[in-house]
Amino acid sequence: MSWKDYLTLHQAAHLEDFRTFLSIPSISAQPAHQDDVRRAALWLAARFKQAGFLQAEVLPTAGHPVVLAEYCPYPDKPTVLFYGHYDVQPADNPERWNSPPFEPTVVDGRIVARGASDMKGQVMAFLLAAESLIANGALELNVKALIEGEEEISSPSLPAFIEQNKERLRCDMIINGDSGQLSESTPLLGLGVRGICALEFDLVGPSHDLHSGTWGGGLQNPLHAMAELVASLHNPDGSVAVQGFYDDVEPLSPELRAWYKKIPWDEEAELKKLGLQEFYGEEGYSHWERTTGRPTLEVNGMWGGYTGPGGMTVIPSTAHAKITCRLVPHQNPEKIVMLVKAHLEKHLPRGVRLQVRTKEAGAFAFRMSADHPGCVAAREVLTELYGVPPVETMFGGSVPILGTLKQMLGHDPVSFGFGLEDELIHSPNEFFRLSSFEKGKQGYAMLLGRLAQ
Amino acid sequence: MSWKDYLTLHQAAHLEDFRTFLSIPSISAQPAHQDDVRRAALWLAARFKQAGFLQAEVLPTAGHPVVLAEYCPYPDKPTVLFYGHYDVQPADNPERWNSPPFEPTVVDGRIVARGASDMKGQVMAFLLAAESLIANGALELNVKALIEGEEEISSPSLPAFIEQNKERLRCDMIINGDSGQLSESTPLLGLGVRGICALEFDLVGPSHDLHSGTWGGGLQNPLHAMAELVASLHNPDGSVAVQGFYDDVEPLSPELRAWYKKIPWDEEAELKKLGLQEFYGEEGYSHWERTTGRPTLEVNGMWGGYTGPGGMTVIPSTAHAKITCRLVPHQNPEKIVMLVKAHLEKHLPRGVRLQVRTKEAGAFAFRMSADHPGCVAAREVLTELYGVPPVETMFGGSVPILGTLKQMLGHDPVSFGFGLEDELIHSPNEFFRLSSFEKGKQGYAMLLGRLAQ
């Protein structure tokens, strides 16, 4: 019996296992679900054992535990490490769900449940792929699965865990399952994500709000100062005006720019979808270059004064803003925060004081070569599985774990997952396509087979 | 018993009445308080009746009602009309109040409550002054009191009300109680106020909030556009950059500038009080000129995106701002709104749409002669009450009703009130000095006596 036949034969039982996994509300963000998170880890470790993994343990961290499963019978063969997470987003507002978030329901070829697409479906698909190979004596390389329980809360405990278990996590290649495809018919090969850093600041004027009639014209209005300062952060050509911001940025190579041109982009359709007249960004760059290849500085929130209905004639005491920057390779998130801070200080308008807060940890960008052996293997498998070659792209968002894994374990993680963009992750009625579940099992089995060659 | 003895005898009871008045949250700007506004009007009319006014009614307008009280027993004597308002500013951010805004609390000779200084204290003082005279048969002229409920939202319904009740409001002199003194020891004679006009606008980008990782750099962020647009409203020299803004502004005459120099101003003390390093405004003008003699444009509120705790990586769909301009004589509020709107349209950054709302009626500035008989009487009374002659000045705020009253009833309103500048009007912890309350009762009684001569 081939691994394919094995998967076909056990299809119904495997779907039941998936439902069982989904029915455990492993919400990492909510202390009330701490025991559920642990229960999901215990269930998953047991299921890895049942799949034939030689070891599968629930290991403690400073926060929620990690599941580490190992099938490493070959001292002389390479080792692949699969990264995933078993925790899920909260499922508040149950009234907005068509079926209870932790009672998985199959409707029209979709399984609806919190965590179905992000990413229990892909963890199960990988596990079952490995099981089908082990069951047929066809898993001809070493496999480790590192499944964490804190991804949805930014993986605070994972770096220390990896550091402490470096030897045990040693591998020759990393697969990141927390990823997706472009559509049901078109595969996707992701070659990078941007990094991120964040800061907040206040501009402080008079010690209390003042009447804008009595005082207007006589002192700096913190909202005027805020506008002037925020406006100073960008140049007329759309680039970031912070001195030194681009110092560590490598120009996009002619090869990369040629590669970018191949990413599909229907500008008219996208404008219509967003109700916009035009896209706008750094001059001289295309949309994909702007949103994935170039760094940005975006104000995510800005506020001060009276914001309620009607009018209130006030000069507010303070004004506030929150900023995030998206970074490209070689930009250091801590350095960028310092540069932005220096810009704010240097361009501070008269008559206000500046208070900067930098609470959140940043992340480096991550890019890998399209020629990386893992990418080559993924491309071949995806082409066979979908009948067309994958669209190759980078992402504008940030997946901090990629940089962490690369830095700590020394390999570029290959993103290989089966989520689709419309599957309502982080929203009510999250679902995963059963067709993606099937493709996932086959895809992981094919990838493990290909990598063993 | 003299009116003075009457006031002394009833001092405690009168303070209780004041507290009762202050405890009604008559916030005209917030629809949720509509019934409270009406309740304050009913209470006030009843209290005027109790004071001996021959008529006191709550009269409807298109908005909040007007209280009209009349003591007019003398067909052959002149009539004084007192103007005031019983509505108050919102009291949001209750956590910034040391005591609940509508539970009047007396601390160190001050009564703390929303509306205490602006201006329920002065309405009560006038009412009690009239009561003390009536009780002693000493009110020897006709008195009308017009107390509106929409001053804090720019009196939208009052002009129509006056137009419809012109005959009933006929008078020979007008006293505006919505005014103040310079300090506890120095009286003030106000000879003018600035006008006002207001507008709100939205900048509209994508049809829904977007992830700033996925989209950042690829489209105009409405917050960036807002900063750029608001920054464009002022020139580096502190003047307003709106084309045509100063077209109708008369230069300050040498006489007026000389007069301005006589207004006391302790810059160091004022900076200390406000926790500021420096004052800032239009180059070439003094503080009093900037805040009372020159027009301004101030942003009173500006907001968009995520403003809660922590981070949220969003490019918001919209950004918002509220603007008011303070005007000097000859500037037409409607014209200024049109000029600001034209500026916003002309300087609109790429990639966003502009929506302007102009809900509130504006007001012309008002200035009157220091030789007006009402000013002469006020000067005499204040000199007697404080032991020193009043400082004569103009105000930066707006009392739209002054222009309206003058235009519709044919008399220059004499400003005669007892608020002090530090009483946190429009801010948390607004208060009124009990000493001002006493001076107010006496001052109004003396003024009515003086005007009857």
Side-chain angles (χ1 to χ4, degrees):
Chain A
M1 185 167 65
S2 72
W3 59 263
K4 246 185 188 160
D5 291 339
Y6 179 93
L7 288 175
T8 306
L9 186 64
H10 295 89
Q11 196 173 29
H14 288 165
L15 182 60
E16 269 320 295
D17 289 340
F18 184 19
R19 295 172 85 123
T20 303
F21 190 25
L22 286 171
S23 69
I24 309 173
S26 47
I27 303 169
S28 51
Q30 298 178 338
H33 286 284
Q34 193 175 347
D35 287 349
D36 293 322
V37 174
R38 185 166 182 79
R39 196 151 56 87
L42 289 166
W43 183 89
L44 185 61
R47 189 63 189 75
F48 267 111
K49 274 277 206 180
Q50 186 192 327
F53 278 69
L54 303 174
Q55 282 201 301
E57 290 182 77
V58 174
L59 297 170
T61 74
H64 297 299
V66 156
V67 173
L68 181 58
E70 293 162 86
Y71 177 85
C72 300
Y74 312 114
D76 300 326
K77 291 192 176 171
T79 300
V80 166
L81 183 137
F82 175 84
Y83 165 81
H85 63 88
Y86 66 86
D87 64 323
V88 302
Q89 280 277 316
D92 298 338
N93 307 314
E95 76 284 358
R96 292 171 60 194
W97 285 76
N98 298 331
S99 52
F102 297 104
E103 293 178 21
T105 306
V106 174
V107 187
D108 295 338
R110 300 162 165 205
I111 185 159
V112 181
R114 170 56 84 225
S117 175
D118 181 21
M119 63 165 290
K120 284 177 172 172
Q122 314 180 64
V123 169
M124 277 310 290
F126 178 81
L127 183 156
L128 296 170
E131 174 177 307
S132 73
L133 293 169
I134 294 171
N136 290 279
L139 186 49
E140 303 204 359
L141 78 178
N142 301 306
V143 173
K144 296 175 180 174
L146 167 67
I147 318 292
E148 70 156 317
E150 295 190 327
E151 197 277 337
E152 300 295 0
I153 53 171
S154 303
S155 308
S157 311
L158 196 65
F161 176 86
I162 295 176
E163 186 61 42
Q164 285 154 19
N165 295 276
K166 230 168 183 171
E167 192 47 40
R168 197 161 166 192
L169 294 168
R170 205 161 47 79
C171 59
D172 302 289
M173 187 168 289
I174 302 173
I175 299 172
N176 162 39
D178 196 5
S179 177
Q181 304 296 332
L182 194 65
S183 72
E184 283 183 273
S185 54
T186 312
L188 187 73
L189 190 57
L191 299 174
V193 292
R194 292 195 285 194
I196 187 169
C197 62
L199 73 160
E200 289 188 30
F201 67 95
D202 312 316
L203 297 184
V204 183
S207 51
H208 56 89
D209 293 357
L210 296 177
H211 190 291
S212 70
T214 309
W215 288 96
L219 74 165
Q220 178 66 276
N221 180 329
L223 293 173
H224 299 182
M226 177 58 78
E228 197 180 322
L229 192 51
V230 167
S232 79
L233 290 164
H234 288 86
N235 294 312
D237 67 359
S239 64
V240 176
V242 172
Q243 199 175 358
F245 188 79
Y246 295 100
D247 278 1
D248 300 325
V249 176
E250 264 178 34
L252 298 178
S253 67
E255 294 72 29
L256 192 53
R257 303 200 76 170
W259 174 88
Y260 264 120
K261 289 216 176 75
K262 288 187 275 182
I263 306 180
W265 173 245
D266 183 343
E267 181 148 316
E268 285 311 310
E270 294 292 334
L271 285 173
K272 206 170 164 189
K273 222 187 307 185
L274 297 180
L276 287 173
Q277 299 296 315
E278 61 169 337
F279 286 105
Y280 173 78
E282 193 182 359
E283 257 173 39
Y285 293 94
S286 70
H287 178 82
W288 283 113
E289 289 169 351
R290 288 170 176 167
T291 54
T292 70
R294 296 287 295 171
T296 65
L297 182 155
E298 296 287 337
V299 178
N300 303 119
M302 179 169 77
W303 71 103
Y306 181 67
T307 61
M312 183 160 168
T313 50
V314 71
I315 296 177
S317 170
T318 53
H320 315 272
K322 289 175 192 273
I323 286 177
T324 47
C325 297
R326 297 290 168 165
L327 311 177
V328 297
H330 312 301
Q331 283 185 300
N332 180 324
E334 282 178 30
K335 179 179 167 189
I336 295 295
V337 164
M338 276 177 50
L339 293 175
V340 175
K341 202 176 157 187
H343 178 101
L344 296 176
E345 282 161 1
K346 186 175 162 193
H347 292 81
L348 187 66
R350 290 174 59 178
V352 287
R353 283 178 298 120
L354 174 70
Q355 290 174 346
V356 179
R357 286 187 301 285
T358 57
K359 278 182 295 195
E360 288 164 60
F364 278 86
F366 171 79
R367 265 187 215 168
M368 68 188 296
S369 163
D371 302 328
H372 183 282
C375 290
V376 173
R379 189 182 291 113
E380 283 181 21
V381 169
L382 290 172
T383 305
E384 187 182 336
L385 193 60
Y386 286 82
V388 289
V391 167
E392 310 199 0
T393 188
M394 290 194 278
F395 296 103
S398 306
V399 187
I401 190 65
L402 295 181
T404 307
L405 290 171
K406 175 174 182 166
Q407 190 197 333
M408 303 189 82
L409 298 175
H411 304 287
D412 287 332
V414 179
S415 284
F416 192 90
F418 293 87
L420 294 180
E421 207 192 346
D422 64 353
E423 291 175 338
L424 300 171
I425 70 168
H426 296 209
S427 289
N429 302 310
E430 175 177 353
F431 68 92
F432 193 50
R433 288 175 171 80
L434 293 182
S435 61
S436 297
F437 190 46
E438 295 310 312
K439 274 210 180 70
K441 288 184 271 182
Q442 290 180 38
Y444 285 121
M446 289 160 72
L447 184 66
L448 290 173
R450 172 67 183 69
L451 291 173
Q453 285 168 17
Chain B
M1 185 168 65
S2 72
W3 61 261
K4 247 186 188 160
D5 291 339
Y6 180 93
L7 288 174
T8 306
L9 186 64
H10 295 88
Q11 197 174 27
H14 289 166
L15 182 59
E16 269 320 293
D17 288 340
F18 184 20
R19 295 173 85 124
T20 303
F21 191 25
L22 286 171
S23 69
I24 309 173
S26 47
I27 302 169
S28 49
Q30 297 178 340
H33 287 284
Q34 193 176 347
D35 287 348
D36 294 321
V37 175
R38 186 166 180 77
R39 197 151 55 86
L42 290 167
W43 183 89
L44 186 60
R47 190 63 189 76
F48 266 110
K49 274 277 206 182
Q50 187 192 326
F53 278 69
L54 302 173
Q55 283 200 299
E57 291 182 77
V58 174
L59 297 170
T61 74
H64 298 299
V66 156
V67 174
L68 181 57
E70 291 161 87
Y71 177 85
C72 299
Y74 311 114
D76 300 327
K77 291 191 178 173
T79 301
V80 167
L81 184 137
F82 174 84
Y83 164 80
H85 64 87
Y86 66 86
D87 64 322
V88 302
Q89 280 276 317
D92 297 338
N93 307 313
E95 75 286 357
R96 292 172 60 193
W97 284 76
N98 298 329
S99 53
F102 297 103
E103 294 177 19
T105 305
V106 173
V107 187
D108 296 338
R110 300 162 164 205
I111 185 160
V112 181
R114 168 58 82 226
S117 175
D118 180 18
M119 64 166 289
K120 284 177 174 173
Q122 312 178 68
V123 169
M124 278 309 289
F126 179 80
L127 183 156
L128 296 169
E131 175 177 307
S132 73
L133 293 170
I134 295 170
N136 291 277
L139 186 48
E140 304 202 0
L141 79 178
N142 300 307
V143 173
K144 296 176 179 173
L146 168 67
I147 318 293
E148 69 155 319
E150 294 190 327
E151 197 276 340
E152 300 296 0
I153 54 172
S154 304
S155 307
S157 312
L158 199 65
F161 176 86
I162 295 177
E163 185 62 41
Q164 285 155 19
N165 294 276
K166 230 170 184 170
E167 193 46 39
R168 198 162 166 190
L169 294 168
R170 206 162 46 79
C171 58
D172 302 290
M173 187 168 289
I174 301 173
I175 299 172
N176 163 39
D178 196 7
S179 177
Q181 304 297 330
L182 193 64
S183 72
E184 283 182 271
S185 53
T186 311
L188 188 72
L189 189 59
L191 299 174
V193 293
R194 292 195 284 195
I196 187 169
C197 62
L199 71 162
E200 289 188 30
F201 67 95
D202 312 316
L203 298 183
V204 183
S207 51
H208 55 91
D209 292 356
L210 297 176
H211 190 292
S212 70
T214 309
W215 289 96
L219 75 163
Q220 178 68 275
N221 180 329
L223 294 174
H224 299 181
M226 177 58 77
E228 196 180 323
L229 191 51
V230 167
S232 79
L233 290 164
H234 287 86
N235 294 312
D237 67 359
S239 63
V240 176
V242 172
Q243 200 174 356
F245 188 79
Y246 295 99
D247 279 1
D248 299 325
V249 176
E250 263 179 34
L252 297 180
S253 68
E255 294 72 29
L256 192 54
R257 301 198 79 170
W259 176 87
Y260 264 122
K261 287 215 177 80
K262 289 187 276 180
I263 307 179
W265 173 246
D266 183 344
E267 180 148 318
E268 284 311 309
E270 295 292 334
L271 285 173
K272 206 170 164 191
K273 220 184 316 183
L274 298 179
L276 287 173
Q277 297 298 312
E278 61 170 337
F279 286 105
Y280 173 79
E282 193 181 0
E283 261 173 38
Y285 293 94
S286 70
H287 178 81
W288 284 113
E289 290 170 349
R290 285 170 177 167
T291 55
T292 71
R294 296 287 296 171
T296 65
L297 183 155
E298 296 287 336
V299 178
N300 304 119
M302 180 169 77
W303 71 102
Y306 180 68
T307 61
M312 184 159 167
T313 50
V314 70
I315 295 177
S317 170
T318 53
H320 315 272
K322 290 176 192 272
I323 286 178
T324 48
C325 298
R326 298 290 167 164
L327 311 177
V328 296
H330 311 303
Q331 283 185 301
N332 180 323
E334 282 178 30
K335 179 178 166 189
I336 295 295
V337 165
M338 276 178 50
L339 293 175
V340 175
K341 200 174 158 188
H343 177 102
L344 296 175
E345 281 161 0
K346 186 176 162 193
H347 292 80
L348 186 67
R350 289 174 59 178
V352 286
R353 282 179 297 119
L354 174 69
Q355 289 174 347
V356 179
R357 284 186 303 284
T358 55
K359 276 183 294 195
E360 290 164 60
F364 279 85
F366 170 78
R367 278 185 202 167
M368 72 187 290
S369 162
D371 303 328
H372 183 281
C375 289
V376 173
R379 190 181 289 114
E380 283 180 21
V381 170
L382 290 172
T383 306
E384 187 182 337
L385 192 62
Y386 286 82
V388 289
V391 167
E392 310 200 358
T393 188
M394 291 193 277
F395 296 105
S398 305
V399 189
I401 193 63
L402 294 182
T404 308
L405 291 171
K406 175 176 181 162
Q407 191 196 333
M408 304 187 83
L409 297 175
H411 305 287
D412 282 335
V414 180
S415 285
F416 192 89
F418 293 86
L420 293 181
E421 206 191 349
D422 63 354
E423 293 175 337
L424 299 171
I425 70 170
H426 296 210
S427 290
N429 303 309
E430 176 177 352
F431 69 92
F432 192 51
R433 286 175 171 79
L434 294 182
S435 61
S436 297
F437 191 46
E438 294 310 312
K439 273 212 182 68
K441 287 184 271 182
Q442 291 181 37
Y444 284 122
M446 288 160 71
L447 184 65
L448 290 173
R450 171 67 183 69
L451 290 173
Q453 285 168 16

